[in-house]
């Protein structure tokens, strides 16, 4: 995280934005997840990529990593209390995405209807 921002939206995007972070946070709203489960849920990104994003979220206090003393080792990720405060933001993003996809679907149907003359 950088030391100076122009606005608070920039901070939010820096901390919770990126290719995988919002999706990780969204899936952790449902409860703790193991690394492999989380990786599959977000679309199977490269291990290094998801690991870096998880570390950044952990450093920023959004998620916590719990290592269980088992063989083989088991690691679970969960949202911190502070991380849970992002729930309304992620839910709003999901609702907006649902609306946008429906609009795009209707728009493409209209375009195909106009193109075929039906």
């Amino acid at each position: 995280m950088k030391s100076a921002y122009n606005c608070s939206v920039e901070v939010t995007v820096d901390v919770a934005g990126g290719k995988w972070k919002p999706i990780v946070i969204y899936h952790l709203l449902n409860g703790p997840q193991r690394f492999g489960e989380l990786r599959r849920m977000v679309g199977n990104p490269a291990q290094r990529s998801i690991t870096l994003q998880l570390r950044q979220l952990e450093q920023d206090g959004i998620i916590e990593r719990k290592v269980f003393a088992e063989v083989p080792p088991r690691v679970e990720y969960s949202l911190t209390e502070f991380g849970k405060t992002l729930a309304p933001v992620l839910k709003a993003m999901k609702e907006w995405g649902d609306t946008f996809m429906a609009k795009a679907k209707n728009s493409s149907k209209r375009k195909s209807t106009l193109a075929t003359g039906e």
Side-chain angles (χ1 to χ4, degrees):
M1 192 163 96
K2 64 184 189 179
S3 58
Y5 293 95
N6 295 318
C7 75
S8 53
V9 172
E10 190 178 353
V11 177
T12 306
V13 170
D14 188 34
V15 173
K19 187 166 186 174
W20 305 113
K21 288 181 190 178
I23 303 166
V24 165
I25 296 166
Y26 177 75
H27 286 295
L28 289 176
L29 289 172
N30 295 321
Q33 298 292 333
R34 293 176 70 172
F35 178 82
E37 296 167 335
L38 198 52
R39 186 173 174 211
R40 279 187 295 278
M41 288 175 158
V42 300
N44 237 3
Q47 184 167 337
R48 177 170 164 69
S49 177
I50 192 75
T51 298
L52 289 173
Q53 300 241 318
L54 287 167
R55 284 184 188 155
Q56 290 169 352
L57 288 168
E58 187 178 9
Q59 288 171 353
D60 289 332
I62 305 301
I63 65 169
E64 57 189 4
R65 180 178 184 262
K66 185 175 182 181
V67 181
F68 294 86
E70 299 175 352
V71 177
R74 178 170 57 114
V75 177
E76 279 187 354
Y77 293 90
S78 60
L79 290 175
T80 61
E81 287 303 312
F82 183 62
K84 291 175 185 175
T85 64
L86 285 166
V89 176
L90 274 288
K91 288 179 182 174
M93 288 174 70
K94 181 191 179 308
E95 289 171 10
W96 187 90
D98 290 343
T99 301
F100 182 83
M101 286 190 309
K103 180 180 177 192
K105 184 178 178 182
N106 289 336
S107 177
S108 66
K109 280 183 182 177
R110 253 185 268 126
K111 287 178 185 173
S112 67
T113 302
L114 292 173
T116 60
E118 294 177 13

